């Protein structure tokens, strides 16, 4: 997992529940996440944390990812992390600053109901910009389908 915010750490915890080992690559020397999530990650024996490194190059063999070359941000030295998958979680903050603040939570995510409607009549939201626990393509598609259905009903 590449990243040091809440999304990266939450994904790391999820992956650790189904994988033998998870490695977090973070470019800083500390996380930018809620302390409770950081504590859970640090307490998980299946999670290794590599601080002050950035991704540099994918290592691919036989059309499969087998590793990631990372670079130390201070020394610029490279090393390879063996892996079977890479999950970038960089810059997952929502781009919602153009919206009315009354429909946003404290982190900038859009608050909406089960039908994807917001507290402003006729305004619906879907995808990773809404307040929810799981941010994946499949959940964003689901949100969009629900929003489209709700808007269709509203227009009829």
């Amino acid at each position: 997992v590449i990243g040091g915010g809440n999304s990266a750490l939450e994904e790391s915890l999820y992956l650790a529940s189904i994988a033998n080992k998870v490695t977090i690559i973070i470019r800083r020397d500390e996380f930018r996440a809620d302390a409770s999530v950081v504590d859970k990650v640090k307490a998980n024996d299946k999670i290794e944390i590599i601080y002050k490194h950035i991704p540099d190059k994918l290592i691919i063999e036989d059309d499969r990812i087998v590793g990631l070359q990372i670079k130390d941000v201070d020394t610029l030295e490279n090393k390879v992390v063996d892996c079977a998958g890479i999950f970038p979680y960089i810059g997952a903050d929502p781009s919602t600053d153009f919206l009315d603040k009354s429909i946003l939570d404290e982190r900038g995510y859009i608050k909406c109901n089960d039908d994807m409607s917001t507290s402003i009549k006729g305004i619906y939201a879907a995808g990773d910009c809404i307040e929810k626990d799981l941010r994946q393509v499949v959940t964003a598609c689901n949100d969009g389908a629900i929003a489209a259905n709700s808007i269709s009903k509203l227009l009829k």
Side-chain angles (χ1 to χ4, degrees):
V1 175
I2 302 167
N6 280 317
S7 295
L9 299 192
E10 289 166 0
E11 184 68 11
S12 297
L13 289 167
Y14 169 72
L15 289 170
S17 73
I18 58 174
N20 292 329
K21 180 181 177 188
V22 174
T23 303
I24 299 173
I25 310 297
I26 175 173
R27 68 182 160 111
R28 301 175 190 271
D29 57 357
E30 62 184 41
F31 291 108
R32 290 180 34 186
D34 297 334
S36 61
V37 180
V38 172
D39 292 343
K40 288 178 187 175
V41 165
K42 288 182 175 180
N44 192 313
D45 293 337
K46 292 171 112 184
I47 299 176
E48 175 187 4
I49 304 164
I50 300 177
Y51 296 97
K52 298 181 84 173
H53 281 74
I54 56 172
D56 189 51
K57 179 181 170 185
L58 295 176
I59 310 297
I60 300 173
E61 294 176 5
D62 299 323
D63 293 327
R64 297 186 70 170
I65 293 174
V66 296
L68 176 67
Q69 180 175 298
I70 58 175
K71 183 178 290 194
D72 186 300
V73 296
D74 292 328
T75 66
L76 303 180
E77 291 180 25
N78 288 322
K79 73 178 183 178
V80 173
V81 176
D82 295 330
C83 63
I86 297 171
F87 299 85
Y89 276 85
I90 304 166
D93 292 334
S95 297
T96 56
D97 30 338
F98 66 96
L99 296 170
D100 187 304
K101 303 299 180 233
S102 68
I103 63 171
L104 303 179
D105 71 6
E106 64 281 349
R107 292 175 53 206
Y109 290 96
I110 302 170
K111 299 181 286 188
C112 60
N113 301 310
D114 290 342
D115 66 350
M116 301 294 122
S117 64
T118 67
S119 60
I120 301 174
K121 184 172 174 59
I123 302 293
Y124 292 78
D128 288 354
C129 63
I130 69 169
E131 182 181 57
K132 62 181 179 177
D133 292 328
L134 184 61
R135 299 182 200 291
Q136 293 184 346
V137 172
V138 69
T139 63
C141 293
N142 178 65
D143 299 341
I146 293 170
N149 187 54
S150 299
I151 293 166
S152 177
K153 287 179 182 177
L154 177 71
L155 294 175
K156 288 181 182 177

